[in-house]
Amino acid sequence: MKRREFLLGSSAAAGVVGLGGLSLAAGNDAQELVLQSANYRLRDQLTTGMVSLSPDAPPPVLYGRQGKAMRLTVRNTLPDYTAMHWHGLRIANQMDGVPYLTQMPIGEGESFAYEFTPPDAGTHWYHPHCMTMDQMAHGLTGVIVIAEPEDPGFDSEQVINLRDFRLDEEGAFLPAYTARGAARAGTFGNVQTANWRTEGVYDHAAGTLVRLRVVNTDTTRIYRLHLEGAVTRIIAWDGHPVEVEVDLALPTADEPLLLGPGQRVDFAVRMPEDEGQSAALMAKFPGQKKRAMARLRATGQSAARNLKELRPLRTNPVLRPNLDQAEMHEFVFGWTPEGGAPDDGFCGSLGYSFWSINRTPWPGDAAQGTGPLAVLEQGKSYVLRLRNESPNLHPIHLHGLAFVPLKSNLRKLPPLVSDTVLLLKDEIIDIALVADNPGDWAFHCHVIEHQKTGLAGFIRVV
Ligand code: C2O
Ligand code: CU
Ligand code: CU
């Protein structure tokens, strides 16, 4: 089965105007987000002790606009400390939400006002960076959508937040991490959800064009995904538009797309023609048959739209690195030479060091007392060589900067713009970037048990 398509078709299609478009709720540029405990029926029974921004619902999708200021005040009502990070947003360092590195942790009863103007449109997300394991594993991971100033012509959109929960038979939380898991691929959840639902069905009008934004916010799992039942294209990857010329293969059941924790993919989906038919986002789990994580069900008469009617997404203002003059820095991700519990300040320690960057284990959430892994000069181009010296996979994430994956020793990499790159077993990937955003930028594996047991650090741009 060869399903290859050029993304977004020819630019000749530009100019065809779709009806409707998306109207984002006005007036939500300033919002208060109240961290609190929540209860929710994830399966048959009510799960208590979840962490969300309302008492009985998943963290909401937050909407903003490219180039438009937002103010999100995080108020903490939990007895634990927190700090909120806006994954994928290249904003000012003081707003990045990394405890000790960019701000002090937010205590019980305290608030922190995050104010920023997102420079890049796209599908991004938010999650705490203090008590990261506890709060994320219990639910606090949400999607933030930054809309383009001009509408590309979709009729509607669907956000899918993929994540697991680790529950016992009664629906109560099992420990989110285990030493055994942390030292290997991580501890996996046993209830896989999309938007906290195990079998979500979402209605969209037949024959319309839907922007499907898929985000992996899990603490551990690399999702293996493909779509069935509709004509689709991949239009963005990790928040950034995939350029029109890039011929990205659509994933299939045999060759699914690997979406690591922290990564996002946007599909343009043309809804099925007939009422009741559905398009399904399929996932494959080890030792199980593939199953639908979410279905888009067609309703009503077909609108008879065509993917070619979409206007290409405008590229985000990411500077292109100058490879001739780029200085190289190397980072080795591997096990840690010696144990010892990292000191995480008020942000929760898992009690072990299993991992390291350049042979040094870093405290998980708190970079207090540790120096930068590299110092980059503002405005200069760099190549970062990422070397995985372990048999486990690592989604390596860099805050505050966008990079271009250049090459791998194992596979051909499509030319994308990203903030999180999945390193396979024994893989070496070169990424390139322009160090255009000053500050201390966290740099870590997004398998949270790896991050919290040593595989974390930061890069300084001065
Ligand atoms: Cu999703 Cu340190 O980030
Ligand atoms: Cu981030
Ligand atoms: Cu890792």
Side-chain angles (χ1 to χ4, degrees), residues 16 26 33 49 60 80 151 154 171 216 231 240 250 287 301 332-333 367 403:
V16 180
L33 309 176
D80 288 326
D151 174 37
F154 287 99
N216 180 355
V231 182
H240 294 277
L250 281 166
Q301 286 264 304
V332 179
F333 306 105
F403 57 76

Side-chain angles (χ1 to χ4, degrees), residues 57-58 81-82 175 222 229 247 317 333 348 350 357 419:
Y81 284 82
T82 194
I222 292 150
D247 178 19
F333 306 105
L350 303 197
I357 301 181
D419 51 55

Side-chain angles (χ1 to χ4, degrees), residues 85-88 96 98 125-129 136 261-262 397-399 420 442-446 448 451:
H85 171 59
W86 318 95
H87 182 130
D96 198 45
V98 181
W125 66 294
Y126 61 95
H127 61 83
H129 228 282
M136 282 179 71
H397 171 49
L398 177 59
H399 288 213
T420 308
F443 181 52
H444 62 86
C445 178
H446 228 294
I448 307 302
Q451 175 196 355

Side-chain angles (χ1 to χ4, degrees), residues 44 47 102 133 135 145 150 178 183-184 208 278-279 293 393 401 421 442:
D44 304 332
T47 297
T102 72
M133 193 52 180
Q135 293 174 4
V145 167
E150 64 284 306
T178 59
R184 296 176 177 79
T208 55
S278 61
M293 295 303 297
L393 278 57
L401 301 163
V421 64

Side-chain angles (χ1 to χ4, degrees), residues 32-47:
E32 190 182 48
L33 309 176
V34 184
L35 245 77
Q36 56 195 287
S37 65
N39 302 327
Y40 199 80
R41 206 166 286 281
L42 287 169
R43 277 195 305 195
D44 304 332
Q45 311 93 331
L46 198 66
T47 297

Side-chain angles (χ1 to χ4, degrees), residues 364-440:
D365 279 320
Q368 203 175 27
T370 50
L373 285 161
V375 179
L376 312 183
E377 243 180 89
Q378 193 178 345
K380 284 201 174 167
S381 293
Y382 292 89
V383 171
L384 312 186
R385 176 159 290 174
L386 314 180
R387 183 190 293 273
N388 183 7
E389 280 197 346
S390 81
N392 301 108
L393 278 57
H394 304 284
I396 301 296
H397 171 49
L398 177 59
H399 288 213
L401 301 163
F403 57 76
V404 195
L406 291 179
K407 62 171 189 195
S408 154
N409 62 334
L410 298 181
R411 53 184 165 146
K412 195 166 173 297
L413 300 177
L416 301 171
V417 178
S418 172
D419 51 55
T420 308
V421 64
L422 185 63
L423 278 187
L424 306 178
K425 176 180 191 290
D426 299 323
E427 190 168 33
I428 304 165
I429 290 184
D430 286 357
I431 62 173
L433 55 79
V434 179
D436 59 350
N437 199 2
D440 287 342

